[in-house]
Amino acid sequence: MENFTRLTAIAAPMDRINIDTDMIIPKQYLRTIKRTGLGSVVFDELRFNVDGTEKSEFVLNQEPYRRSGIIVAGDNFGCGSSREHAPWALLDFGIRCIISTSFADIFYNNCFKNGILPVTVKSDQLKALMADASDRENPELTVDLNIETIIRPNGGRVAFKIDEFRRKCLLEGLDDIGLTLQKQRKIDSFESKQRVNQPWLYLENESN
Amino acid sequence: MTDPKTLFEKIWDSHLVDVQGDGTCLLYIDRHLTHEVTTPQPYEGLRQAGRSVRRPDATIAVLDHNVPTDWNEKIDEDSQLQIDTLRRNCAEFGVELYEVDDARNGIVHVIGPEQGFTLPGTIIVCGDSHTATHGAFGALAFGVGTSEVEHVLATQTLIQAPARSMRISVDGDLPAGCSAKDLILAVIAKIGTAGGTGHVIEYAGPAIEALTMEGRMTVSNMTIEAGARAGLVAPDNTTFAYLQGRPRAPKGDLWHQAVSYWKTLPSDKGASYDKEVIIDVSGIVPQVTWGTSPELVAPITSQVPDPADAPTEDARDSWRRAIDYMGLRAGMNMAGIPVDRVFIGSCTNGRIEDIRAAAEVAKGRKVSDGVRAIVVPGSGLVKLQAEEEGLDRILTEAGFEWRSPGCSMCIAMNTDRLEPGERCASTSNRNFEGRQGRQGRTHLVSPAMAAAAAVTGELTDVRGMLP
């Protein structure tokens, strides 16, 4: 996983609530056995007409937002299915950070596994950042995970907070599984105890 | 005397493998359900890192998301590749897979309980958000992403930050013509689709206790539509009666040992929750969604609302967009909106009681001209049971199509989907834009309401059609 420290990028304003994972990546693209290549179809139905041509009113089809690295979106971003294809598709397009007033839990988790930083801000802050992003002359935001701060085009600062462990993993690009496997002895010992206390959870006892 | 604990806290605390300084927990996972769509990448990851599956005996695999529900139909290449990939991975890593023609196969959240693989007090995960379904058994069950699927396969654990707790107490007797589906839609109407975000819900109260296990599963299933990852119901005699004798449920002495443990799980008196919601369902009427988010729901006796009446500016925009997408007008009666398609099935409403409820309405009636209605049992065993009861004949005589198990039109990954502009009364769980097919329009309803829409050709109050 690529680490995330500080990002300066064009921020695309997506001023609507409940942007769900079906909108981010519709089901027909879940029939893949890879993680890559979904950027060309991210936001498929919002972005393209049935004949495959672009919908000019959609923000990512407009300059300068075709090069966005950040999305500023309305409340409850990423609700719906658990599909990790949603963050994969965003990442493949080039999105490394999403700013909203709230995120659906599973989507929020999935972001951290893919080097994407989801930032939660208050609604008045979101309003200001939405206005910044909507200024197509200068829609660049800087997001610094080290100091947990968004720096606005006017120099204003918006602080945010990320759980310590998640922040560390993202800053260093750490592999969760590798970290957990270092705790193998603790897992072994948990299992030995559970095998005694709840033997019915182990297949070798099921046929009693 | 220790502090009183909630059901959720008891399960959480009994699965702690490690707690880090910042409070992040490493939780042991007892049960892992897998399917063809969210496993290719995790197995590839294991292979690349030279890792194995830690507990194949605690893992099962099914084929449900993109398998055709008409076995004569040709499957597309990408879906076939996913299915073959799961077959190869299960063989290589020693995980049991239920094949398409095995009666035990079906929708992952139907077969877990059916096989007794889902048990109270366990932590259950699956790379699918409707894993919340298993919470009906007093298990902590939640959906995970694909990276987490790999983490569980490799380590049988997950790294989790503690969640807040919310109790939803449901009072009153559910009126005739209303089902668990109407109950949960009414709950979502009250708290909203982000109402449970960051929380684990416990459903309690007389209306929940009175539900069958299948009804409780419908409620827990749609917890994710209320924004929470997990929704639990305390295990009781209804739970134990459902599980006893199931293939993978404990037997003999272990059964008694397990039941005595499960009886310690319900929340202690005086346990506290971060948030409490109370709802009385004795006055509700059958629910139907009118918008493109499950919270945009109303009684069948009401009208499509006016965006001008929305509580906030954001909501006003969202209502307006939804009404436009759905091809409706503010002020229209919900009853009488014509439908083109009807779908009865899914992990929300694809169990035997759901099919019975649909058949009760369909009996002696005919699917309206111009409406195409399909019934997709949740598993091979549900299908067999329905056929034994003659429900398939009632439904096919009425003009419904009787299919083989799968997720079908709930996710619309295969050819079971809406065409642009088509309107569907659906027993599934999501009415998002494009969910059932590009430009498709979904109205979420109960199985009885779906059957009523099929035979009248429009959204209809089923209460006038019951015996």
Side-chain angles (χ1 to χ4, degrees):
Chain A
M1 179 179 92
E2 197 181 334
N3 69 341
F4 187 110
T5 49
R6 182 186 165 99
L7 169 74
T8 298
I10 291 168
M14 296 184 73
D15 194 4
R16 65 187 283 180
I17 59 172
N18 298 331
I19 293 179
D20 59 68
T21 53
D22 278 83
M23 261 181 229
I24 299 171
I25 187 83
K27 65 270 162 198
Q28 61 269 32
Y29 302 111
L30 309 187
R31 291 182 300 215
T32 173
I33 58 168
K34 299 185 300 180
R35 291 173 202 251
T36 51
L38 295 170
S40 58
V41 290
V42 69
F43 294 113
D44 189 48
E45 289 176 27
L46 297 173
R47 197 165 147 211
F48 301 109
N49 294 304
V50 179
D51 64 6
T53 55
E54 286 186 354
K55 291 184 175 176
S56 57
E57 70 276 18
F58 185 63
V59 64
L60 297 182
N61 290 333
Q62 300 167 1
E63 290 301 342
Y65 301 110
R66 289 177 187 277
R67 290 170 282 122
S68 296
I70 299 170
I71 288 174
V72 182
D75 198 51
N76 200 26
F77 190 91
C79 59
S81 112
S82 62
R83 59 189 70 165
E84 200 161 315
H85 307 67
W88 295 340
L90 290 165
L91 184 68
D92 199 56
F93 180 88
I95 303 296
R96 293 294 311 276
C97 173
I98 302 151
I99 302 170
S100 178
T101 39
S102 79
F103 294 89
D105 293 336
I106 303 178
F107 177 83
Y108 187 77
N109 258 328
N110 283 340
C111 284
F112 288 98
K113 313 288 181 197
N114 291 282
I116 298 176
L117 173 65
V119 175
T120 309
V121 296
K122 297 196 185 74
S123 61
D124 56 326
Q125 294 170 328
L126 187 80
K127 220 170 183 173
L129 293 166
M130 193 72 78
D132 290 342
S134 304
D135 174 8
R136 56 184 77 227
E137 296 304 311
N138 186 17
E140 268 192 5
L141 297 175
T142 294
V143 181
D144 192 324
L145 182 56
N146 265 310
I147 54 170
E148 294 172 300
T149 302
I150 302 168
I151 300 155
R152 300 176 54 196
N154 67 3
R157 289 172 171 245
V158 177
F160 61 87
K161 192 78 200 125
I162 301 289
D163 286 349
E164 199 40 51
F165 177 70
R166 284 182 167 131
R167 180 168 161 268
K168 179 175 167 357
C169 289
L170 203 47
L171 282 171
E172 297 175 26
L174 294 177
D175 163 26
D176 275 357
I177 298 179
L179 286 177
T180 299
L181 285 174
Q182 292 171 8
K183 297 180 180 169
Q184 189 132 0
R185 283 178 50 197
K186 289 188 172 175
I187 304 174
D188 291 343
S189 109
F190 179 92
E191 268 176 9
S192 322
K193 272 189 229 138
Q194 195 190 48
R195 212 180 272 270
V196 173
N197 295 332
Q198 296 179 58
W200 59 87
L201 295 177
Y202 291 79
L203 186 64
E204 69 264 21
N205 302 313
E206 276 184 21
S207 51
N208 275 16
Chain B
M1 192 62 196
T2 50
D3 286 342
K5 281 187 182 181
T6 64
L7 166 61
F8 163 55
E9 287 165 338
K10 290 180 192 184
I11 300 175
W12 183 276
D13 292 351
S14 66
H15 286 81
L16 289 173
V17 173
D18 188 38
V19 183
Q20 292 174 192
D22 68 343
T24 303
C25 298
L26 189 65
L27 288 181
Y28 193 78
I29 307 301
D30 302 303
R31 295 286 187 246
H32 191 186
L33 294 152
T34 62
H35 60 86
E36 75 274 30
V37 175
T38 58
T39 48
Q41 297 85 356
Y43 278 113
E44 188 55 28
L46 292 185
R47 208 174 279 120
Q48 282 168 0
R51 292 168 178 153
S52 56
V53 174
R54 184 176 173 98
R55 290 268 320 263
D57 72 308
T59 312
I60 53 177
V62 303
L63 297 164
D64 60 356
H65 276 61
N66 58 20
V67 291
T69 58
D70 173 355
W71 288 353
N72 297 315
E73 186 186 299
K74 198 173 152 25
I75 189 165
D76 68 277
E77 274 177 35
D78 291 341
S79 297
Q80 188 65 53
L81 179 61
Q82 267 189 342
I83 290 170
D84 291 341
T85 302
L86 182 59
R87 286 181 176 139
R88 208 180 52 239
N89 286 331
C90 285
E92 182 180 337
F93 289 90
V95 170
E96 185 174 20
L97 168 72
Y98 297 154
E99 265 300 338
V100 176
D101 57 359
D102 184 329
R104 297 174 301 169
N105 190 51
I107 305 174
V108 70
H109 308 307
V110 175
I111 68 104
E114 209 170 63
Q115 293 300 317
F117 187 68
T118 299
L119 295 173
T122 55
I123 299 190
I124 303 175
V125 299
C126 172
D128 186 282
S129 60
H130 289 106
T131 308
T133 311
H134 309 267
F137 289 81
L140 177 59
F142 52 93
V144 295
T146 303
S147 297
E148 290 176 313
V149 168
E150 186 176 337
H151 194 280
V152 176
L153 288 172
T155 70
Q156 206 59 35
T157 64
L158 265 185
I159 301 168
Q160 293 285 300
R164 293 186 292 277
S165 61
M166 174 193 269
R167 177 164 63 185
I168 299 184
S169 304
V170 189
D171 293 334
D173 295 328
L174 207 49
C178 290
S179 67
K181 181 66 163 286
D182 301 294
L183 185 158
I184 187 63
L185 285 171
V187 167
I188 294 167
K190 185 175 168 91
I191 72 171
T193 50
T197 301
H199 290 78
V200 164
I201 292 175
E202 179 176 340
Y203 298 100
I208 299 294
E209 287 162 23
L211 290 174
T212 62
M213 282 318 295
E214 298 198 0
R216 293 179 190 177
M217 283 187 248
T218 300
V219 171
S220 289
N221 172 276
M222 288 193 72
T223 299
I224 186 74
E225 276 66 50
R229 283 175 86 176
L232 287 67
V233 178
D236 59 10
N237 288 331
T238 305
T239 321
F240 309 146
Y242 177 97
L243 286 172
Q244 193 161 21
R246 303 245 163 209
R248 296 204 59 179
K251 317 260 178 326
D253 286 347
L254 280 185
W255 169 259
H256 298 292
Q257 200 183 328
V259 170
S260 6
Y261 171 65
W262 296 339
K263 285 183 173 168
T264 68
L265 291 170
S267 297
D268 299 327
K269 232 185 210 110
S272 66
Y273 298 81
D274 297 303
K275 206 164 163 181
E276 293 253 21
V277 174
I278 298 171
I279 176 166
D280 188 319
V281 291
S282 55
I284 68 167
V285 303
Q287 304 281 304
V288 52
T289 62
W290 52 268
T292 52
S293 164
E295 68 190 5
L296 305 181
V297 61
I300 182 68
T301 47
S302 69
Q303 288 77 37
V304 175
D306 187 341
D309 298 332
T312 64
E313 203 178 312
D314 280 345
R316 189 153 56 239
D317 288 349
S318 132
W319 288 20
R320 197 174 289 126
R321 206 190 304 257
I323 290 170
D324 180 52
Y325 179 89
M326 292 295 289
L328 302 172
R329 274 176 293 105
M332 274 175 98
N333 285 326
M334 302 287 289
I337 295 173
V339 301
D340 308 297
R341 304 281 295 269
V342 170
F343 170 60
I344 297 169
S346 85
C347 58
T348 311
N349 281 130
R351 286 168 288 264
I352 191 70
E353 291 173 13
D354 301 315
I355 295 171
R356 285 182 194 140
E360 186 181 24
V361 175
K363 191 167 189 171
R365 296 190 168 102
K366 290 283 177 204
V367 170
S368 177
D369 284 344
V371 173
R372 190 169 169 203
I374 68 170
V375 183
V376 184
S379 72
L381 291 172
V382 169
K383 187 178 188 193
L384 288 175
Q385 168 90 31
E387 289 172 353
E388 234 163 69
E389 296 180 17
L391 305 177
D392 61 319
R393 279 195 309 281
I394 294 173
L395 290 161
T396 51
E397 276 164 20
F400 288 81
E401 295 173 35
W402 180 245
R403 297 294 188 86
S404 291
C407 297
S408 184
M409 270 178 75
C410 177
I411 185 156
M413 284 186 69
N414 54 25
T415 55
D416 300 349
R417 61 172 175 254
L418 300 180
E419 295 302 320
E422 278 191 325
R423 185 181 302 284
C424 180
S426 177
T427 67
S428 54
N429 41 56
R430 290 192 178 129
N431 51 349
F432 297 156
E433 288 184 16
R435 170 78 180 184
Q436 293 193 292
R438 192 177 177 118
Q439 297 298 318
R441 295 162 170 162
T442 304
H443 295 276
L444 301 177
V445 289
S446 72
M449 284 285 285
V455 298
T456 60
E458 56 190 38
L459 298 178
T460 304
D461 189 342
V462 71
R463 292 176 302 175
M465 301 175 66
L466 293 171

